[in-house]
Amino acid sequence: MSNRIKLDLERTLGGLDPNVFGGFAEHLGRCIYGGIYEPGSPHADENGLRKDVLEALKRLKMPNMRYPGGNFVSGYRWRDGVGPKEERPARMELAWFDVEPNTFGTNEFIDFCRVLGTEPYLAVNCGDGDMREARDWLEYCNGTKDTALVKLRKSHGYDAPHNVKYWGVGNEVDGPWQIGFKTPDEYARAYTEYAKVMKWTDPSIKLFASAVSLWRRDWVERAQLLLEQAGNLIDYMALHWYMGNDAVRGYRDDDFASYMAASEILDDRLSSYEGLIRALRLENKLQNPVYIAVDEWNVWYRTHNEEKLEEIYNLEDALMTGLQLNAFIRHASSVKFANIAQIVNVIAPILTRADAMVLQTIFYPFEVYSRTAGDTALDVHWSGDTFSTPEHAALRFLDVSATLDSQAKKVSVYVVNRSLDREIESSVELAEGRFAGGGRAFVINGADIKTINTFDAPDGVTTREDTLQAKGASATYTFEPHSVTALVFDLA
Ligand code: AHR
């Protein structure tokens, strides 16, 4: 069968929001302490931020950064993390059963964001916290009036408001593992009241409701209650997921084809959630847009708290990163925000040791997508060779998405070749317009799907960059087995 990828530059899905390339840093294991912040390290700057990690993160071009959790936030007191460090209390924290020293807090995080060039996205405690604490934190960060909280911020050395635009109300409130787990009704009520006072405190903020992380029960009811009771106070419905090559998070244990078939779960979740929001906006006559934020996503299935979630990623996980990013691009009309969980050490693209750093396999697709994606998602049509699993028949080997950058006159085509052993040649055809002749191909691959990057052998999986030749209305490209490829074509 011939493989064809057809692009119509006028057939768009709408804007691709760069915020889908966001990150997430939680007080968990070595993400903050020993990851982004390690005073005394030879790699640290004068504020204790690790310069090697900052440089690697800059390559990922993340427009926003979620903080401080995660499960951690459901027991967090933001006041513990501001003011003179020697006065900050160490606390027992019950999300990850660790001692939190609080030497890194709100202002250190904002400083980190400013150095990195990313917008902070703070989650408030809707676990064992209350709405007073949440709105106080917002006032501390964004307030401009002559109030005690603004004076407090100024006394900590920050005269200008932090202007934090993105705020999440709680984390994974649907999970029994959460401190302060809430039933659908309890959370809808709590969200409404938190959101009301937070928007009164600063009407310019954007709010995220914790919608679903456990995809097994009550997520439809949760959406229904939230949009019924607080629809006009919700900017984003926050979804979480973690994929894995196992029967718990996917279809089967250690089965490559089944793992790669997870594209179907991703599409099912996003399509059904889009439909749900659409139905509930109609039913509740909501005028405001309500978008999807997948504010935790990644591969996570091997490690637990004992290993501090220091997952070691292989090539097939890098393909899974490509599948997830393709899903966001194909659902760009509704998915306007997403956060890879997390950024350093904890289920992360970057791993550190005291003396060194390694870029994991999943670093590379994220970097290529975030640096090459255009501002508009295309409704790409493709056909070709297929594979089947016990659960799915006739899935296309190639998983494809595409974007357009009309200013720069470039079209980017993202392809995950899910075949273990087959090169797949495909045409890339333009319905109208012409390729200008040149372009670049970025290929992420390694010797086999289990290849990992280690401190001793850091280049098992990396990105190879080639030039492209493409003139006229059609080009041909051969996609390597088990690879992620971005083709960035110049348009005439
Ligand atoms: O990212 C790790 C954890 O995964 C987060 O703390 C939690 O929100 C999710 O269960």
Side-chain angles (χ1 to χ4, degrees), residues 181-236:
F181 156 80
K182 292 187 171 44
T183 65
D185 198 45
E186 284 168 349
Y187 182 61
R189 285 290 307 125
Y191 181 90
T192 309
E193 297 306 316
Y194 270 66
K196 200 168 77 184
V197 295
M198 289 177 77
K199 291 239 179 190
W200 282 344
T201 303
D202 181 350
S204 72
I205 59 171
K206 299 287 179 199
L207 281 180
F208 297 61
S210 170
V212 45
S213 64
L214 191 63
W215 289 86
R216 286 197 289 276
R217 56 149 212 251
D218 77 22
W219 53 275
V220 172
E221 182 190 359
R222 283 177 183 273
Q224 200 168 357
L225 293 177
L226 276 166
L227 288 168
E228 254 169 40
Q229 295 180 32
N232 54 4
L233 294 168
I234 296 175
D235 299 293
Y236 300 88

Side-chain angles (χ1 to χ4, degrees), residues 50-60 115-116 350 357 359 363 367 371:
R50 271 190 72 148
K51 290 181 284 188
D52 54 346
V53 172
L54 276 170
E55 286 318 304
L57 286 171
K58 280 181 186 162
R59 287 175 55 180
L60 296 180
V115 175
L116 187 58
I350 299 165
M357 187 188 72
L359 305 179
F363 181 95
E367 179 189 36
R371 300 200 79 86

Side-chain angles (χ1 to χ4, degrees), residues 364-436:
Y364 292 99
F366 192 101
E367 179 189 36
V368 167
Y369 279 68
S370 76
R371 300 200 79 86
T372 59
D375 53 13
T376 303
L378 293 175
D379 189 5
V380 49
H381 170 84
W382 77 104
S383 57
D385 301 329
T386 62
F387 68 105
S388 296
T389 70
E391 288 78 22
H392 296 284
L395 295 180
R396 290 161 289 185
F397 274 120
L398 302 185
D399 185 84
V400 183
S401 71
T403 68
L404 171 69
D405 184 336
S406 44
Q407 290 289 314
K409 295 183 106 182
K410 286 183 192 303
V411 67
S412 300
V413 184
Y414 301 99
V415 179
V416 180
N417 181 357
R418 298 183 275 186
S419 170
L420 254 187
D421 47 19
R422 288 179 49 190
E423 290 186 332
I424 296 187
E425 186 184 90
S426 176
S427 63
V428 183
E429 301 164 21
L430 289 178
E432 83 294 321
R434 294 284 177 270
F435 293 121

Side-chain angles (χ1 to χ4, degrees), residues 296-312:
E296 282 187 34
W297 66 269
N298 202 348
V299 172
W300 174 25
Y301 70 106
R302 303 171 175 96
T303 57
H304 302 96
N305 201 16
E306 302 81 69
E307 298 95 9
K308 298 292 175 204
L309 282 64
E310 298 207 2
E311 194 100 353
I312 303 298

Side-chain angles (χ1 to χ4, degrees), residues 134-424:
R135 67 113 146 154
D136 281 356
W137 195 14
L138 171 56
E139 186 182 328
Y140 174 88
C141 288
N142 291 5
T144 52
K145 303 218 168 83
D146 196 20
T147 67
L149 284 163
V150 172
K151 282 184 184 145
L152 184 67
R153 184 191 71 227
K154 291 186 176 174
S155 77
H156 295 156
Y158 295 84
D159 268 4
H162 292 322
N163 291 324
V164 179
K165 181 173 172 193
Y166 303 112
W167 292 81
V169 178
N171 175 72
E172 295 190 354
V173 296
D174 62 335
W177 59 86
Q178 201 66 213
I179 299 170
F181 156 80
K182 292 187 171 44
T183 65
D185 198 45
E186 284 168 349
Y187 182 61
R189 285 290 307 125
Y191 181 90
T192 309
E193 297 306 316
Y194 270 66
K196 200 168 77 184
V197 295
M198 289 177 77
K199 291 239 179 190
W200 282 344
T201 303
D202 181 350
S204 72
I205 59 171
K206 299 287 179 199
L207 281 180
F208 297 61
S210 170
V212 45
S213 64
L214 191 63
W215 289 86
R216 286 197 289 276
R217 56 149 212 251
D218 77 22
W219 53 275
V220 172
E221 182 190 359
R222 283 177 183 273
Q224 200 168 357
L225 293 177
L226 276 166
L227 288 168
E228 254 169 40
Q229 295 180 32
N232 54 4
L233 294 168
I234 296 175
D235 299 293
Y236 300 88
M237 296 288 272
L239 280 42
H240 290 184
W241 68 58
Y242 290 96
M243 312 310 292
N245 190 355
D246 67 350
V248 176
R249 290 171 177 82
Y251 299 104
R252 271 150 209 280
D253 288 329
D254 198 12
D255 181 287
F256 179 68
S258 297
Y259 189 32
M260 293 294 103
S263 55
E264 305 312 285
I265 305 178
L266 301 174
D267 191 53
D268 275 351
R269 286 179 176 171
L270 291 175
S271 299
S272 49
Y273 218 89
E274 277 164 355
L276 195 54
I277 291 178
R278 189 166 178 179
L280 292 166
R281 283 186 68 238
L282 183 68
E283 183 172 275
N284 295 293
K285 299 189 168 51
L286 296 178
Q287 300 301 316
N288 53 306
V290 177
Y291 295 122
I292 291 174
V294 187
D295 65 3
E296 282 187 34
W297 66 269
N298 202 348
V299 172
W300 174 25
Y301 70 106
R302 303 171 175 96
T303 57
H304 302 96
N305 201 16
E306 302 81 69
E307 298 95 9
K308 298 292 175 204
L309 282 64
E310 298 207 2
E311 194 100 353
I312 303 298
Y313 292 111
N314 61 24
L315 175 59
E316 65 186 6
D317 301 325
L319 268 59
M320 181 55 69
T321 302
L323 295 180
Q324 291 174 86
L325 293 170
N326 279 352
F328 298 154
I329 294 172
R330 291 198 297 262
H331 290 269
S333 58
S334 58
V335 179
K336 297 291 183 189
F337 212 99
N339 301 77
I340 188 170
Q342 301 190 9
I343 52 171
V344 192
N345 291 329
V346 175
I347 45 172
I350 299 165
L351 265 185
T352 65
R353 278 193 326 213
D355 59 335
M357 187 188 72
V358 68
L359 305 179
Q360 295 228 59
T361 61
I362 62 169
F363 181 95
Y364 292 99
F366 192 101
E367 179 189 36
V368 167
Y369 279 68
S370 76
R371 300 200 79 86
T372 59
D375 53 13
T376 303
L378 293 175
D379 189 5
V380 49
H381 170 84
W382 77 104
S383 57
D385 301 329
T386 62
F387 68 105
S388 296
T389 70
E391 288 78 22
H392 296 284
L395 295 180
R396 290 161 289 185
F397 274 120
L398 302 185
D399 185 84
V400 183
S401 71
T403 68
L404 171 69
D405 184 336
S406 44
Q407 290 289 314
K409 295 183 106 182
K410 286 183 192 303
V411 67
S412 300
V413 184
Y414 301 99
V415 179
V416 180
N417 181 357
R418 298 183 275 186
S419 170
L420 254 187
D421 47 19
R422 288 179 49 190
E423 290 186 332
I424 296 187

